[in-house]
Amino acid sequence: MSDSEATSMGREQGQGAVAWLAAAMGVWLALLQFAYFFLLEVRLSSRATSFFVALFFWLAGFLVGLNVRSPRVFVLLLPASLGAYYVARQVLGLFPYRLGILPVVGVCIAVSGALAGAFFPYLARRFLAVKWLLFHENNGFVVGLLLTLFGSVFAGRFFLDWAPVLGAVPVLALAWNSRERSLPALACQPMRH
Amino acid sequence: MPADATLDPAGSSLLDGTASGPAVAWRRAGVLLLAGFNLTLVQFLAMREIAALVGSNELVVMFVAGGYFVGLSAGYLVSERLSPATLAGLGVGSLLWHATTPFSVRAAAAWMISAGHSELVPPFLGLLVVIGFGAFYAVFLPRLIEAHPDRVASPQRAMARCYATELVGGALGLLVILVVTPARMSWIATMHLAGLALLLGLLLRVAAGGKVLLAAVPVAYVLVWPTADRASLEAHFRAAHRWAESRVLASEFSPYQRVDIVEARSRPGGGWSTNLYLNGNLLYGTRGLHRHNLMVAVMPNLMRPPGERRALVIAGGSLDNARYLAPQVDQLHVVEIDEAVVRLSRRFLQEPRGQFPTNWSLVIDDGKHFLGTWQGEPFDTIAVDVPVPTHLQTAMLHSERFFALAKSRLRPGGVFSISLAGRLDARRPGTNSASGRLAERIAAGLARQFEHVTVARLGGSDFAWASDRPLGQDLRALQAVADRFVATQPEGRQRFGQPRLKVLSPGLVSRQVAQVDPIREADMQLVLRLSLNKLKRRFYSDDPHLEKPEGHGEGKSGHSHDGHEASDHESGDHDEEP
């Protein structure tokens, strides 16, 4: 097999699986964000301050995650992000309405935000055109919003409790399935006009 | 290719990989920064303004958010297919379009409603959100990642640097919103326009005259804003709420909602009323809403002996409860989450009436957080003055968990009071499911926490007074209390009419709540169902009572400034869920 054939095969193989991974990640991020939002509303306060603080931590985590270079860190962030949510949930359950624990919850939110940030560089080189990464992930986010809507209507509290776990399962499976083996680096062509 | 590509006709070399150099890099960073900045601002504008136009609730918020993100996907999809000339044209078109918002959107919605096509408003607004807000800005990130010099050698670095730049812009936008505050929406909208003009300046080859024109757009916008804002809002209120005439006395966005104080009358020559709208939902100004205050907050306190009147009112933002209760109780706390509601209500609803009491305390806080952290003396009464739960936030104040929290802050024998948002024994088609039986579910939650739940009815609505002890008052005594109160209030008859109370039998109450699940704190099903029903009523119903101003078909004369007669059954967020 020539290098170009291997490159071509790797590019096609990478696209399918990683496209689904991007979409699944978008779904999971939507579920996570809603779960955090709901957690803060119910267990802490409905005031705008707590919402903006949570948003700040998410953005900070996102920025940190964007600068993560090692793919291993992204892989570690997958379970860490899930764990962080349930830590936040437990902490808020033990100390409801205490604004003083917002920094602790904020760190948990930042871990999840870091996952979101680390995800994009992790997959950037697996897409021929980066717009598809953004497109699939964003579509997954929209699907996640719809799932949140219908899931909370039809499955109620069960959905809200288990949504972060449910969202993580396809991401973990697809991340494992689409992990790079010995594929050559994709040749990314500059855009033509 | 020169390193400085500023002479490039439409910034094409900026957006592809053919130009390089420090100047180009700075321009690309500037474009991303501004795209991120404007994405945050435009999302905020869409979520606030569009949602308020349809009477914001949880369902609307989710659909507006979803529409915004669908717009981003559309932008990503076509990002590399847009020629520089097309992109420039879209940019200029966006600038002109946003220079007319939100006024044009309000006017369009008002026209559709007036023309009898209210059903077109939600899809029209949905389409606007998809194509008219984030889609344009979403084009730049993928294009500039592809154009980044590191795209081939290190795609991760290209992605990280470009996305981080856009994200920093987004964070700056968030900071602007926090610092400027939603109250100055004109500034936020103007900054968005200015950001768009700057972005176009970076993209296009613009002569001096063009730069002046670009700069003139946001300047003209902020100057025109006060007049256009008021005129478009008044037109929208007249159409959406069927006022014959309306004057917007105040309109402000808080971190939570749009707060409008509207003076209006239902027919030319009729009496004016002053109304409070929150996100387009009527919350104050009708007889039904005055009676709501009477039953939820005033009566439970008047029933108690002097010396046992430490009162708490949650969500009493209109401050009518403060006016009525402060002279009657030993101590009064009013908790309201939205400072803007209190401030505008005090200025436009209370102070014009004069004699507003000062012997009460205001706490700006979330009601459950306040109760959860309250360390003071227990209360004799806790009244929850909230609308029908079409938001998660208000649904939680109708949950069994919240009732338990409130009970823990009551003195023995204290009374917890809340509207049942409907009639306990109403026959409604298709409401056999637990999510549809709102009044029963609220009452069921109360019954689980309190031994005695008295349900009093006034007009079309039921109100629950819950306690660990019997109320100790019969209907005659309650009626006498209500009559005495109304008689002693200025404009009492005009505001409250002649309230005729009824008390449901304990047996009926028990039967209605048997086998009914109370509202859980996470009851999104209920919230979304109520939100959907409200949308249907507002845009897809011929319900004659829908958002109807007072006096239609009543044949009564108008009254003074705040006098406003009404039918007993009227729409509005406080009224029953059909």
Side-chain angles (χ1 to χ4, degrees):
Chain A
M1 183 187 297
S2 67
D3 285 347
S4 61
E5 285 171 341
T7 301
S8 173
M9 186 178 78
R11 189 182 304 135
E12 287 173 16
Q13 184 178 22
Q15 291 300 322
V18 293
W20 282 108
L21 174 59
M25 178 60 80
V27 172
W28 190 26
L29 290 176
L31 295 177
L32 259 181
Q33 285 190 9
F34 180 79
Y36 273 119
F37 158 73
F38 170 76
L39 203 59
L40 291 174
E41 277 258 19
V42 173
R43 294 270 186 265
L44 190 65
S45 165
S46 299
R47 291 200 66 183
T49 328
S50 44
F51 168 77
F52 283 116
V53 169
L55 189 56
F56 162 76
F57 276 105
W58 180 277
L59 288 177
F62 200 113
L63 269 173
V64 168
L66 273 176
N67 289 288
V68 163
R69 290 285 177 257
S70 166
R72 284 202 196 96
V73 175
F74 168 72
V75 172
L76 287 172
L77 279 171
L78 286 169
S81 185
L82 187 62
Y85 169 76
Y86 286 100
V87 165
R89 189 162 175 269
Q90 192 65 15
V91 166
L92 282 169
L94 289 172
F95 305 103
Y97 313 122
R98 305 284 167 85
L99 290 175
I101 61 161
L102 196 50
V104 175
V105 176
V107 169
C108 296
I109 293 173
V111 170
S112 300
L115 169 71
F119 165 73
F120 288 97
Y122 175 77
L123 274 199
R125 69 194 193 94
R126 306 287 296 278
F127 280 83
L128 197 62
V130 76
K131 79 166 190 179
W132 294 115
L133 167 58
L134 297 167
F135 179 74
H136 290 308
E137 189 275 338
N138 196 69
N139 288 346
F141 193 87
V142 174
V143 170
L145 282 180
L146 289 173
L147 281 176
T148 299
L149 182 70
F150 291 110
S152 54
V153 167
F154 294 107
R157 184 60 188 265
F158 172 85
F159 174 83
L160 293 168
D161 286 343
W162 292 99
V165 172
L166 296 173
V169 168
V171 172
L172 292 170
L174 287 165
W176 175 259
N177 185 49
S178 64
R179 71 191 187 282
E180 287 183 286
R181 297 172 183 84
S182 56
L183 294 173
L186 296 175
C188 297
Q189 310 256 346
M191 296 181 61
R192 297 194 193 85
H193 294 279
Chain B
M1 177 66 69
D4 178 356
T6 54
L7 294 180
D8 182 79
S12 59
S13 63
L14 193 71
L15 298 175
D16 62 29
T18 58
S20 60
V24 172
W26 278 110
R27 282 177 66 196
R28 285 180 179 144
V31 167
L32 281 172
L33 205 70
L34 288 166
F37 180 80
N38 271 14
L39 273 170
T40 298
L41 296 191
V42 89
Q43 183 184 19
F44 181 77
L45 291 168
M47 295 292 286
R48 288 313 178 90
E49 182 63 40
I50 303 296
L53 281 178
V54 292
S56 180
N57 53 51
E58 212 69 73
L59 188 66
V60 167
V61 168
M62 290 182 98
F63 273 119
V64 173
Y68 171 82
F69 284 104
V70 168
L72 294 188
S73 280
Y76 294 146
L77 188 63
V78 303
S79 57
E80 95 286 10
R81 294 184 190 181
L82 299 175
S83 68
T86 305
L87 197 58
L90 284 174
V92 172
S94 290
L95 185 70
L96 296 174
W97 145 245
H98 283 293
T100 70
T101 60
F103 327 116
S104 57
V105 182
R106 293 173 188 165
W111 175 80
M112 284 178 204
I113 295 170
S114 302
H117 295 298
S118 60
E119 72 279 2
L120 295 179
V121 172
F124 165 70
L125 294 178
L127 188 62
L128 270 185
V129 173
V130 170
I131 63 174
F133 284 85
F136 173 70
Y137 301 112
V139 165
F140 297 103
L141 180 62
R143 282 189 81 143
L144 290 176
I145 291 173
E146 296 294 352
H148 196 277
D150 290 335
R151 174 65 177 129
V152 174
S154 177
Q156 301 98 308
R157 190 184 310 151
M159 165 65 83
R161 291 204 171 156
C162 291
Y163 209 154
T165 306
E166 192 192 73
L167 201 65
V168 167
L172 282 173
L174 186 62
L175 193 62
V176 161
I177 292 170
L178 289 173
V179 169
V180 168
T181 77
R184 299 185 186 89
M185 188 61 85
S186 61
W187 292 23
I188 294 173
T190 303
M191 282 189 200
H192 165 252
L193 266 188
L196 181 51
L198 271 171
L199 191 152
L200 290 177
L202 285 174
L203 273 185
L204 308 174
R205 182 181 69 168
V206 186
K211 287 179 185 167
V212 169
L213 274 177
L214 282 177
V217 172
V219 171
Y221 182 81
V222 74
L223 293 174
V224 164
W225 175 283
T227 308
D229 181 50
R230 187 166 299 253
S232 59
L233 260 184
E234 286 175 354
H236 179 73
F237 272 108
R238 279 196 298 278
H241 302 282
R242 304 187 198 174
W243 295 110
E245 294 175 52
S246 65
R247 295 194 286 250
V248 173
L249 301 181
S251 180
E252 185 177 310
F253 279 93
S254 76
Y256 307 95
Q257 59 207 333
R258 196 180 75 204
V259 184
D260 299 305
I261 308 277
V262 180
E263 197 174 47
R265 54 186 176 187
S266 57
R267 58 187 177 279
W272 289 90
S273 67
T274 308
N275 306 275
L276 169 67
Y277 288 88
L278 301 182
N279 270 344
N281 302 308
L282 179 64
L283 265 297
Y284 176 92
T286 67
R287 177 172 293 171
L289 293 170
H290 293 314
R291 287 181 166 185
H292 178 280
N293 288 338
L294 172 69
M295 297 297 283
V296 168
V298 178
M299 289 291 293
N301 283 285
L302 296 185
M303 291 186 293
R304 302 193 66 79
E308 288 186 19
R309 295 183 181 181
R310 287 175 46 83
L312 170 67
V313 177
I314 293 176
S318 70
L319 301 183
D320 254 17
N321 290 319
R323 171 180 289 277
Y324 299 137
L325 281 180
Q328 313 271 0
V329 300
D330 306 312
Q331 204 176 87
L332 173 63
H333 294 268
V334 175
V335 177
E336 167 60 49
I337 197 171
D338 195 339
E339 174 275 338
V341 174
V342 173
R343 176 167 37 82
L344 294 178
S345 293
R346 187 191 295 260
R347 182 174 164 200
F348 292 99
L349 301 180
Q350 301 303 332
E351 286 174 0
R353 291 162 64 183
Q355 297 179 309
F356 188 59
T358 56
N359 56 330
W360 56 282
S361 70
L362 171 70
V363 179
I364 301 297
D365 198 358
D366 162 40
K368 59 185 184 309
H369 180 263
F370 174 85
L371 279 180
T373 55
W374 176 251
Q375 304 278 331
E377 289 283 315
F379 298 100
D380 293 298
T381 61
I382 296 176
V384 178
D385 182 13
V386 288
V388 171
T390 54
H391 284 273
L392 199 60
Q393 189 180 327
T394 43
M396 285 189 281
L397 298 182
H398 292 81
S399 68
E400 187 190 350
R401 183 187 170 98
F402 178 74
F403 297 159
L405 175 62
K407 185 183 177 187
S408 71
R409 302 293 187 252
L410 277 172
R411 245 186 243 285
V415 174
F416 177 84
S417 172
I418 192 168
S419 166
L420 295 185
R423 291 172 62 135
L424 203 58
D425 58 352
R427 297 285 181 267
R428 294 184 294 273
T431 56
N432 289 327
S433 68
S435 64
R437 299 169 64 185
L438 180 58
E440 288 90 335
R441 295 190 68 194
I442 298 172
L446 290 170
R448 290 203 184 185
Q449 294 299 323
F450 297 91
E451 285 180 49
H452 301 274
V453 180
T454 303
V455 176
R457 175 169 297 169
L458 178 55
S461 297
D462 289 350
F463 303 87
W465 300 324
S467 178
D468 58 355
R469 294 176 188 168
L471 201 59
Q473 305 255 1
D474 62 11
L475 176 60
R476 185 178 297 181
L478 291 173
Q479 187 65 60
V481 168
D483 290 341
R484 202 158 43 240
F485 172 79
V486 172
T488 56
Q489 295 300 309
E491 302 179 331
R493 184 61 62 85
Q494 292 158 6
R495 286 182 178 274
F496 302 99
Q498 285 184 287
R500 286 293 165 256
L501 274 60
K502 181 181 170 182
V503 175
L504 304 191
S505 71
L508 172 63
V509 175
S510 299
R511 281 197 303 278
Q512 291 298 121
V513 304
Q515 312 294 327
V516 173
D517 285 334
I519 296 173
R520 309 286 179 200
E521 62 189 357
D523 208 323
M524 278 295 285
Q525 185 179 40
L526 174 76
V527 168
L528 293 171
R529 184 193 174 97
L530 291 172
S531 299
L532 183 62
N533 286 345
K534 194 169 166 196
L535 268 179
K536 283 185 199 171
R537 285 170 61 205
R538 181 172 282 216
F539 295 103
Y540 301 97
S541 164
D542 292 326
D543 185 343
H545 295 292
L546 177 64
E547 293 293 345
K548 199 172 186 177
E550 303 313 307
H552 259 210
E554 297 300 313
K556 294 181 183 177
S557 60
H559 287 273
S560 60
H561 189 253
D562 281 334
H564 207 53
E565 74 277 42
S567 63
D568 281 342
H569 182 82
E570 57 213 3
S571 66
D573 268 359
H574 276 286
D575 279 25
E576 58 189 71
E577 134 84 8

